[in-house]
Amino acid sequence: RATTRPDRRDSDSTDTDGETSDRGPTWYNKHRARRRATTRPDSKDDRETQPDRAQPTTPQDPDTFHTPDPDEIPDQSINSSDMHLSGPEPPRRRPGLRPREPTNYRDISGIRRKRPRRNPASKESGHDGERVLNITVRDAIARYGEKAMDGIQKEMKQMADGDGGFDVLHPVNFADLSDDDRKRVLPSHMFLKDKFDAVGNFEKLKARIVTGKDTTETVSYEQRSSPTVSSDSLKLMSAIAARDGMATGTVDFPGAFLNCVMPREGPQTYIRLNKFLTGVMVSIDARFARFVGTSGTMVARLNKALYGCVVAAKLWYELLRMNLESQGFQRSPVDMCVFARTKKSGTTMCSVHVDDVKIFAPDTYARDEMIDQLRQKFPDLKVHVGPSLSYMSFDYSDPGEVTIGMPAFIESLLAGSETSGRAETPASEDLFDVDEESEPLDEEGCERFHSLACKLLYLGNLTRGDLLTTTIFLCSRVQAPTRQDERKLSRVLNYLNATKDKKLTLGARDELFVTLSVDASYGVHTDGKSHTGAVVSLGRGATHVTSVKQRIVTKASTEAELVAASDMVGQGIWTMRLLESIGKPARGLILE
């Protein structure tokens, strides 16, 4: 081989006239000619003599931008660098030929030609391309047509500067980035979602662009956790608001994270727009066109936080917290997402769940005053006021009480589990019995069991405390569920189907007391441990429900009840402290 094949360095050299050297066997020169005809320049001299090779794609006129045929968009349209709106098809290589590419060659977007990767969400893999409740770009365009494209363009317009944009993206040349910055470039994804209210009515089709997960970014930002309001806090404030007849409302911040400026110190965050998103972006702002590489993609630095950034939620929380504190609100020491402000007219309370704020004001004037103050900083607020709120389907229509339900979630859960039976109770007497001989579920059955158990747990913690005893036990079986566990899961789903119209009704006494009811079932588990149940109430309905296995083995039922009371009294104290922090102190704690 050493005597018949020329040295690679010599064979890769070019003469002054640009022709290939004649050194080496004829078959090798022919092979090299084929490579030169279908791939990039192989030498620095070739690249310098072909400056037009990396010219950006021509921007499209926004007025002429049309909805592409769904068949033209590949299945991996939300996460693929192979998507494009226009332009010639890239040349295909002959089978068996894998031309060598210089490792130091990059176009301005940093992409090198490579064989397309198989998308795990493609039809060949048996998946329809949808991600849980989200819709891929291809499916959305096929289903909604122009409405889908309108949603996509509306989302991308927020990325630009001016005309309602937030100046989120600052395009850069990949070649100008350092090696460390190149490694931190994150992929971008676009998905669309059908948005429904709590009752299940269709509201809109929303598009959202997010960044991909990157482990290096988590190392760069140590303080990145963001709190959300406790469901117990929300139910406590709702019960008091119903008792006092307070004015309520909800506020939503469109593009909340886009209001947050990314830190300028330390490493910067860069994302890559795939061909489809790059084409949309260029059609909106032609200034982006010169940063598009030959691959059809573009790299940009994030000026503002984007959904998917590890620090986005933290930055948004701090921005909203500072705005509320500037209005005179004080944060509760026991729940970082509960704020209260006291004036002569009374106390105004609010809870924060990411970009949704629920307001409880003594009258409509105080409520509107708070909303107007928020609008000064966030002019595009979406506000909903009145006795019935779509936020978890709160209804204050009946004086002195509030009903909370999740009908749309329950219908979706029952439909997804194909539940049609009915049961009078959520479990039978053998709930805690474990049959070691029962047949284990297969992999698909385990995933279904795990998913349904977690959904039931979410529902039970929010509005359906009557499901918790059964659900807590099922959640302890998700690692290795059996046919026996599956039958218990079917039983609780049948019970939910029979009682799907049940809602949680809350109210509070005029003379405010916190009632903590605790009980224990002695030695009901196979390892001899007991089970604790507890309920916290302000007079009507449960603001907190607990059903949990005790951590130690007790010797008698009296000892089990003492352990339960000891474990749960902290919840009663927490409730007392929260009420005090929002200016609604309770007169005492009743333990029963």
Side-chain angles (χ1 to χ4, degrees):
R1 182 175 180 179
T3 58
T4 59
R5 185 171 180 175
D7 180 70
R8 181 173 291 274
R9 180 187 297 255
D10 293 338
S11 64
D12 284 351
S13 63
T14 55
D15 297 332
T16 56
D17 58 356
E19 297 295 330
T20 306
S21 174
D22 291 331
R23 288 177 293 179
T26 304
W27 65 266
Y28 186 76
N29 288 330
K30 292 181 178 179
H31 171 67
R32 176 166 170 71
R34 288 197 302 269
R35 285 171 46 186
R36 281 188 171 277
T38 58
T39 60
R40 293 188 179 90
D42 287 332
S43 68
K44 181 177 179 182
D45 295 337
D46 289 338
R47 293 195 300 275
E48 292 177 351
T49 58
Q50 300 181 24
D52 295 334
R53 189 175 181 81
Q55 290 296 321
T57 57
T58 304
Q60 300 188 29
D61 185 356
D63 296 332
T64 62
F65 190 83
H66 66 283
T67 303
D69 188 343
D71 294 334
E72 298 176 358
I73 302 179
D75 289 336
Q76 61 269 34
S77 54
I78 62 171
N79 183 17
S80 171
S81 61
D82 293 329
M83 292 191 316
H84 57 86
L85 295 178
S86 62
E89 184 76 15
R92 296 185 178 182
R93 301 192 184 106
R94 294 180 57 185
L97 286 182
R98 296 187 61 186
R100 181 181 63 85
E101 299 181 70
T103 57
N104 62 345
Y105 178 80
R106 297 286 196 282
D107 63 20
I108 60 175
S109 66
I111 288 286
R112 290 190 298 164
R113 296 182 188 272
K114 60 177 68 175
R115 291 182 297 176
R117 295 180 296 177
R118 180 175 176 266
N119 182 23
S122 63
K123 293 183 178 180
E124 290 89 345
S125 62
H127 195 284
D128 59 3
E130 295 190 7
R131 296 186 175 183
V132 194
L133 299 178
N134 301 329
I135 310 173
T136 64
V137 171
R138 173 175 178 161
D139 291 341
I141 292 177
R143 189 179 307 177
Y144 296 102
E146 291 292 340
K147 290 183 179 180
M149 284 306 307
D150 290 343
I152 293 171
Q153 287 188 302
K154 182 178 179 180
E155 174 70 7
M156 295 305 295
K157 282 181 180 179
Q158 296 185 104
M159 305 295 113
D161 185 17
D163 193 22
F166 291 88
D167 189 22
V168 178
L169 301 180
H170 179 78
V172 298
N173 289 328
F174 187 86
D176 297 337
L177 301 180
S178 64
D179 292 339
D180 291 338
D181 288 337
R182 293 181 184 184
K183 296 177 182 178
R184 282 194 291 266
V185 176
L186 306 177
S188 61
H189 315 275
M190 170 70 75
F191 65 86
L192 292 91
K193 183 175 182 179
D194 296 320
K195 296 208 70 175
F196 300 88
D197 58 20
V199 183
N201 298 321
F202 177 79
E203 289 185 332
K204 61 179 178 180
L205 182 68
K206 179 177 179 59
R208 176 160 290 174
I209 178 175
V210 300
T211 64
K213 182 178 180 181
D214 183 64
T215 55
T216 60
E217 194 182 4
T218 60
V219 178
S220 304
Y221 305 101
E222 297 181 358
Q223 301 297 329
R224 56 183 183 273
S225 61
S226 175
T228 56
V229 65
S230 166
S231 60
D232 294 346
S233 301
L234 188 59
K235 287 183 280 189
L236 287 167
M237 291 190 291
S238 299
I240 294 176
R243 183 198 66 173
D244 298 340
M246 303 180 74
T248 59
T250 58
V251 175
D252 183 25
F253 300 81
F257 291 178
L258 305 184
N259 293 280
C260 307
V261 179
M262 292 291 287
R264 286 292 172 259
E265 63 278 359
Q268 300 298 297
T269 302
Y270 299 89
I271 69 168
R272 184 189 307 284
L273 299 180
N274 57 35
K275 291 182 179 180
F276 179 78
L277 297 181
T278 298
V280 177
M281 200 68 214
V282 170
S283 71
I284 294 172
D285 191 342
R287 293 175 297 178
F288 284 79
R290 67 188 185 93
F291 296 95
V292 180
T294 55
S295 60
T297 66
M298 178 175 60
V299 175
R301 185 187 72 233
L302 290 183
N303 293 332
K304 303 289 183 66
L306 200 64
Y307 289 88
C309 295
V310 295
V311 293
K314 176 67 173 178
L315 293 174
W316 166 247
Y317 170 78
E318 293 296 336
L319 177 64
L320 184 57
R321 178 188 62 81
M322 290 188 294
N323 185 271
L324 291 174
E325 290 180 348
S326 68
Q327 299 181 26
F329 283 87
Q330 293 183 347
R331 184 173 59 178
S332 169
V334 295
D335 192 328
M336 299 177 65
C337 290
V338 172
F339 297 81
R341 176 180 65 184
T342 301
K343 292 186 175 182
K344 293 182 179 180
S345 59
T347 300
T348 301
M349 307 173 294
C350 69
S351 63
V352 176
H353 183 84
V354 192
D355 58 351
D356 291 311
V357 175
K358 196 170 191 304
I359 303 172
F360 309 89
D363 51 42
T364 55
Y365 175 80
R367 179 191 64 195
D368 296 341
E369 178 187 17
M370 177 182 177
I371 294 174
D372 291 339
Q373 291 174 338
L374 288 173
R375 273 207 175 101
Q376 294 177 7
K377 176 67 175 178
F378 310 100
D380 298 329
L381 284 183
K382 291 186 177 180
V383 180
H384 183 80
V385 298
S388 298
L389 303 175
S390 62
Y391 185 87
M392 283 179 60
S393 189
F394 282 83
D395 190 352
Y396 297 86
S397 300
D398 296 333
E401 64 183 34
V402 54
T403 59
I404 309 173
M406 303 174 64
F409 181 84
I410 293 176
E411 290 293 344
S412 175
L413 174 59
L414 294 175
S417 61
E418 299 180 351
T419 300
S420 57
R422 300 171 69 88
E424 295 183 356
T425 58
S428 57
E429 295 180 354
D430 64 344
L431 172 63
F432 297 126
D433 295 342
V434 178
D435 182 7
E436 300 294 345
E437 303 298 327
S438 181
E439 178 186 357
L441 300 179
D442 57 16
E443 183 178 357
E444 182 179 354
C446 290
E447 292 181 359
R448 177 181 180 274
F449 183 92
H450 197 164
S451 175
L452 292 176
C454 290
K455 290 179 180 179
L456 287 171
L457 180 63
Y458 172 74
L459 177 63
N461 282 325
L462 290 180
T463 63
R464 294 296 300 269
D466 53 333
L467 305 176
L468 277 182
T469 300
T470 306
T471 305
I472 289 293
F473 174 77
L474 293 176
C475 287
S476 68
R477 302 288 301 166
V478 296
Q479 296 297 328
T482 63
R483 293 295 178 187
Q484 182 191 36
D485 299 320
E486 188 178 42
R487 287 192 295 270
K488 295 175 182 179
L489 176 64
S490 299
R491 172 68 176 261
V492 70
L493 288 172
N494 290 337
Y495 170 76
L496 178 62
N497 186 40
T499 60
K500 58 184 177 182
D501 295 329
K502 274 190 175 183
K503 294 184 178 181
L504 175 62
T505 302
L506 298 176
R509 305 181 185 93
D510 292 335
E511 193 174 3
L512 194 58
F513 282 89
V514 176
T515 301
L516 174 61
S517 303
V518 184
D519 200 0
S521 296
Y522 172 67
V524 294
H525 290 280
T526 55
D527 56 1
K529 294 181 180 179
S530 303
H531 200 88
T532 296
V535 171
V536 176
S537 177
L538 298 182
R540 181 173 184 183
T543 59
H544 174 83
V545 179
T546 296
S547 180
V548 63
K549 181 180 179 181
Q550 292 186 0
R551 299 181 179 179
I552 61 175
V553 177
T554 55
K555 297 179 181 179
S557 60
T558 302
E559 184 182 358
E561 293 185 358
L562 287 174
V563 170
S566 175
D567 290 343
M568 294 297 107
V569 72
Q571 184 65 36
I573 297 174
W574 180 90
T575 304
M576 295 277 290
R577 293 184 59 195
L578 179 75
L579 294 174
E580 183 180 0
S581 68
I582 60 177
K584 305 288 183 179
R587 295 193 58 184
L589 173 63
I590 301 174
L591 177 62
E592 58 182 26

